[in-house]
DNA sequence: ATTAACTTGACAATAAGTGTCAAATGTAAT
DNA sequence: ATTACATTTGACACTTATTGTCAAGTTAAT
């Protein structure tokens, strides 16, 4: 089970890029990127978009990994985690079928 | 599709309790409880626990509603929402099978 | 018109997220 | 073992989000 960080690091190294190079493209300090790759910090959506660009990763796929990481992390310690996901699925379905009028 | 707020308000009124009475038990201002019931604010986990006590609602069920609300809300606008939930499910399964050594 | 319940909005306090920087550590080559 | 470079670490600052208080406003029932 790969984390977003592991995916990123693998791809960055495969392309022979340095932390500092990729971080510059994201416009953040390399220290943060280092932490993101080791799952010590979470990337922002902005980070994910720019990472998919420079590392030539599929944007949607990376976003899915990013968001599922976040969700899994926030409910993993609950013993009702699976039920939470099931109910969330229903709610998402409902929300998509009944969009809020902005 | 009921929100946590709607569940709470229904139960509170069914028991003839006032906002101020329930809020006191939660140790928060009644203004916040009012907002929670109308989904203008989100409850904390602490709030949920105390609400299940005073309103005699099933703790786990209410927690499931609370967390699924939160998740549905944070991914509903993504078109990959369903995939996110599927992947999150896998990750949760993995995390439960391979607990982190604290 | 009074009263009681609830709602609203401005604001304050606190917590969480996001970032910088410099020093420390690791790693490989000379 | 010294140098050179990449990465990691931790202390700190800045910003944004969350959580709360309070007082004034609204609603609904006498």
């Amino acid at each position: 089970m790969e984390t977003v960080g592991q995916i990123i690091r693998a791809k960055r190294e495969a392309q022979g890029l340095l932390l500092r190079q990729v971080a510059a493209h994201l416009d953040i300090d390399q220290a943060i990127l280092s932490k993101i790759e080791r799952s010590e910090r979470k990337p922002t959506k902005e980070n994910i978009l720019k990472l998919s660009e420079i590392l030539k990763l599929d944007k949607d796929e990376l976003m899915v990994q990013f968001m599922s990481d976040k969700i899994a992390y926030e409910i993993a310690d609950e013993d009702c985690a699976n039920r939470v996901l099931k109910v969330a699925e229903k709610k998402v379905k409902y929300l998509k079928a009944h969009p809020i009028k902005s």
Side-chain angles (χ1 to χ4, degrees), chain A residues 66-78 81 85:
Chain A
F66 162 62
M67 295 202 297
S68 61
D69 260 21
K70 211 163 56 140
I71 289 174
Y73 173 81
E74 85 186 24
I75 68 172
D77 59 327
E78 301 286 337
L85 291 174

Side-chain angles (χ1 to χ4, degrees), chain A residues 15-93:
Chain A
Q15 295 188 213
L17 295 169
L18 300 179
L19 278 179
R20 118 172 79 83
Q21 297 174 308
V22 175
H25 187 265
L26 305 197
D27 198 29
I28 59 175
D29 193 285
Q30 67 170 16
I32 295 178
L33 184 53
S34 169
K35 286 167 186 169
I36 288 172
E37 288 187 346
R38 286 169 297 108
S39 303
E40 197 186 308
R41 289 248 186 138
K42 288 189 214 302
T44 64
K45 279 194 184 184
E46 183 70 15
N47 293 157
I48 292 296
L49 288 179
K50 291 188 173 168
L51 280 167
S52 72
E53 283 169 14
I54 195 172
L55 297 180
K56 289 160 190 148
L57 284 161
D58 183 74
K59 176 174 79 66
D60 291 334
E61 178 56 21
L62 199 58
M63 194 60 80
V64 165
Q65 292 299 328
F66 162 62
M67 295 202 297
S68 61
D69 260 21
K70 211 163 56 140
I71 289 174
Y73 173 81
E74 85 186 24
I75 68 172
D77 59 327
E78 301 286 337
D79 35 49
C80 50
N82 280 324
R83 246 180 78 55
V84 169
L85 291 174
K86 289 298 175 215
V87 177
E89 199 174 338
K90 273 193 213 162
K91 288 183 178 172
V92 166
K93 215 162 275 172

